Amino acid sequence: MALSMHKDASNSMDSSKYVRYTPEQVEALERVYAECPKPSSLRRQQLIRECPILSNIEPKQIKVWFQNRRCREKQRKEASRLQTVNRKLTAMNKLLMEENDRLQKQVSHLVYENGYMKQQIHTASATTTTDNSCESVVMSGQNQQQQNPTPQHPQRDANNPAGLLAIAEETLAEFLSKATGTAVDWVQMIGMKPGPDSIGIVAVSRNCSGVAARACGLVSLEPTKVAEILKDRPSWYRDCRCLDVLSIVPTGSGGTIELIYMQTYAPTTLAAARDFWTVRYTTSLEDGSLVICERSLTSSTGGPTGPPSSNFVRAEMLPSGYLIRPCEGGGSIIHIVDHVDLDVWSVPEVLRPLYESSKILAQKLTIAALQHIRQIAQESSGEIQYGGGRQPAVLRTFSQRLCRGFNDAVNGFVEDGWSLLGNDGVEDVTIAINSSPNKFLGSQYNSSMFPAFGGGVLCAKASMLLQNVPPALLVRFLREHRSEWADYGVDAYSAACLKATPYAVPCARPGGFPSTQVILPLAHTIEHEEFLEVVRIEGHAFSPEDVALARDMYLLQLCSGVDENAIGACAQLVFAPIDESFADDALLLPSGFRVIPLDPKTDTPTTTRTLDLASTLEVGSGNTRAAGEADDYNLRSVLTIAFQFTFENHLRDNVAAMARQYVRSVVGSVQRVAMAIAPSRLSTQLGPKSLPGSPEALTLARWISRSYRVHTGSDLFRVESTAGDAILKQLWQHSDAIMCCSVKTNASPVFTFANQAGLDMLETTLVALQDIMLDKVLDESGRKILCSEFSKIMQQVINK
């Protein structure tokens, strides 16, 4: 191999000098390059000494060889990257051209229907009023609008594979007509723009029976791998409780027909769960594409009768499935169609939008499938690297276990060992217990949980309707401001349950001193629609009776749906206490919140609203909402809350009373938060509020009052009423200037609150208070004194 040498004036090298390397020399250099692409001068000299075959080459020439080698490697990587991008663009262009052809056919079909309807209307207007042809015109119009009528088929022989094959072939044809044809009137979802790095093209149905969603996208996995992932529905469909393949029938073309029974979770406590009895057909097309299509077996389609279900409502899956086509140069183009009828009439009327929304189906099922495949594709290619030494598959398993455990708690199936506990006469909180060893001694749970005592798990759950509260905003607040709703004593009890024997059952004290939470990111999906994180709760003892609880605790937390622009997405915050070891098989007992929108959002972009304390107090004229802001949301949503606790048999009633009281306090806190962050329709009519009344302000007033008493031994206020509004009023009108600031490591202290006297002293308003930096107010000596005082105060808190 002959390589030209670069000119180096400082070393007086001749630019015309060439060095010809023998194959043995190149092999020796390549071995070193594989270990160290950029060796030091000493390493190059050592290389010449250790390899006699390189003795005739100068160290400077060796240096140039490595420079050229690194340059070629960089060019090769860049060329490979550009080729990959070019393949993606080519495949996406092909996909867009096919989509354009489909849309043109759809337009032609709609133009034909429009002309036909105009002709029928003209004919109807020409008839007399006594003619009944108007009725027939209306009926024909309805028939034209019915996009996918369910065909009636004769009953097939349950024991005849040919009958199942006939159903499978019909399912294949109907699925393809939806995936690539005009059998369904598809409308593209807002915000789903196509591109080489986007999730793909996502559309939802219009004017069809049931609800349907469709997605097309590119992934860098081979079709067989994609098919394997998609068929394993419990691994990525979070609402799938179980999927049992009861029978497999091979076909002559190398495909398979499977009879499948699937159960899905109910998203709330207010409706029953669904199950499906389907036939799934896997086959190959002439162009090499793989197809996995599926539909329900009913009396109209024929086929075997499915297993009975007592706790489930039988839903119907209309022809759905996956078309997976290979791309030139590797990868796959995927078409996904999900089409179901969830029997909306069996659901309470207020929840029906949840079961008749194609956008919710798209988010929960169709987009979830595409995102999961893209996630695995990028993990397999090494594009995603997670810290902490955890493999992506392990982290994904943690997320799935959190969701499954929360769904188990919300649904509370009798067959899993759950049973209802008698209530206290008020039906707002449901208490269920589970003492089944089969439930908690499986692979998901640690068998050391129940060795020393008889007991089980108790779940307190409740559902409530919210008006004009954006789910993403609410869940983001609950995640970032845990101290606004959580009780440190209850968290400590949950953490102690990871040990052999938990200590005494605490009383829920929503007014107790808060803890400080630190969120440690662990993993996130590629679209950042879901976050897995560890939350460290730093406990501080403010009184002697709290010393036993003053220790750090850890939660494994999953947060999803916090993107306000995701249409139809539910928002969820699920967490479970873990110990410091955080083993891969750690016991997880999830609790949390789920907020599901019942009505679609308007297309009007929402204004940005912060969650800071000062911005939500609305004092004076600085933070009065605009009149038009209230119209940005006309949204109803259902909030489901579930908290799980372990218990010993002799303490069961005590734990149940604590859990019931705690969930009620959490519900009250969430309601106050929801009122604070929801747009107010009356804000401009009532004028500015006279006092700050947000949940944050009320809590802050209680903290200041009690902390003052603990540290000084005297009361800040002459008479302290138990009502939060009374405390807040006295704090706001106190004659002394009272100011609060937050201090973070390596950051300047920032004012977060001041009463009226403090605002007058600083000559500012509550809204503008956060713009004032404390270190800008004081001189250098004052700043030093302040910092030293802060450290003393923190040390006093730690020593309490």
Side-chain angles (χ1 to χ4, degrees), residues 294-352:
E294 190 172 358
R295 80 177 307 164
S296 289
L297 292 175
T298 63
S299 58
S300 61
T301 60
T305 303
S309 59
S310 57
N311 299 321
F312 293 84
V313 173
R314 180 61 52 87
E316 181 179 1
M317 181 184 296
L318 291 92
S320 307
Y322 317 103
L323 170 62
I324 310 165
R325 300 186 297 171
C327 284
E328 296 181 6
S332 306
I333 298 177
I334 309 173
H335 296 255
I336 303 176
V337 172
D338 292 302
H339 193 176
V340 295
D341 185 344
L342 298 173
D343 191 7
V344 66
W345 302 109
S346 64
V347 180
E349 184 175 358
V350 69
L351 292 181
R352 287 177 187 172

Side-chain angles (χ1 to χ4, degrees), residues 25 36 78 188 219 241 329 392 554 723 783:
Q25 291 174 329
C36 180
E78 180 65 15
Q188 185 170 334
V219 292
R241 179 173 182 254
Y554 297 89
R783 286 195 295 269

Side-chain angles (χ1 to χ4, degrees), residues 199 238 363 367-368 370-372 374-375 523-532 558-563 566 569-572:
I199 186 175
R238 297 289 173 79
Q363 290 286 353
I367 297 176
L370 204 52
Q371 287 174 336
H372 182 75
R374 296 183 72 239
Q375 183 80 21
H524 58 78
T525 49
I526 53 179
E527 272 83 25
H528 291 80
E529 77 282 349
E530 185 174 275
F531 300 89
L532 183 67
L558 183 70
C559 183
S560 59
V562 293
D563 181 7
C570 75
Q572 184 170 267

Side-chain angles (χ1 to χ4, degrees), residues 18-83:
Y18 290 88
V19 175
R20 184 176 297 276
Y21 295 92
T22 65
E24 292 78 11
Q25 291 174 329
V26 172
E27 182 180 357
L29 292 172
E30 287 287 355
R31 284 198 302 268
V32 176
Y33 181 85
E35 299 175 359
C36 180
K38 194 174 183 180
S40 63
S41 175
L42 294 177
R43 179 71 180 90
R44 292 194 301 270
Q45 294 176 3
Q46 180 184 3
L47 173 64
I48 295 176
R49 290 194 301 269
E50 294 177 351
C51 297
I53 58 176
L54 298 176
S55 58
N56 63 328
I57 302 177
E58 297 180 6
K60 299 170 186 175
Q61 295 170 336
I62 297 290
K63 176 182 179 181
V64 172
W65 186 93
F66 276 96
Q67 290 175 342
N68 292 338
R69 181 65 177 83
R70 290 195 300 272
C71 182
R72 290 198 306 274
E73 182 71 19
K74 183 178 180 181
Q75 291 175 343
R76 190 158 45 240
K77 289 182 178 179
E78 180 65 15
S80 176
R81 188 188 68 82
L82 293 176
Q83 289 175 356

Side-chain angles (χ1 to χ4, degrees), residues 106-122 144-145:
Q106 184 174 341
V107 168
S108 300
H109 182 68
L110 292 175
V111 169
Y112 171 79
E113 282 192 343
N114 185 51
Y116 177 80
M117 292 299 298
K118 285 182 177 180
Q119 180 183 0
Q120 293 297 316
I121 293 174
H122 178 73
Q144 287 294 323
Q145 292 177 358

Side-chain angles (χ1 to χ4, degrees), residues 117 137-147:
M117 292 299 298
V137 170
V138 176
M139 294 303 296
S140 66
Q142 290 178 349
N143 291 336
Q144 287 294 323
Q145 292 177 358
Q146 182 68 19
Q147 294 290 328

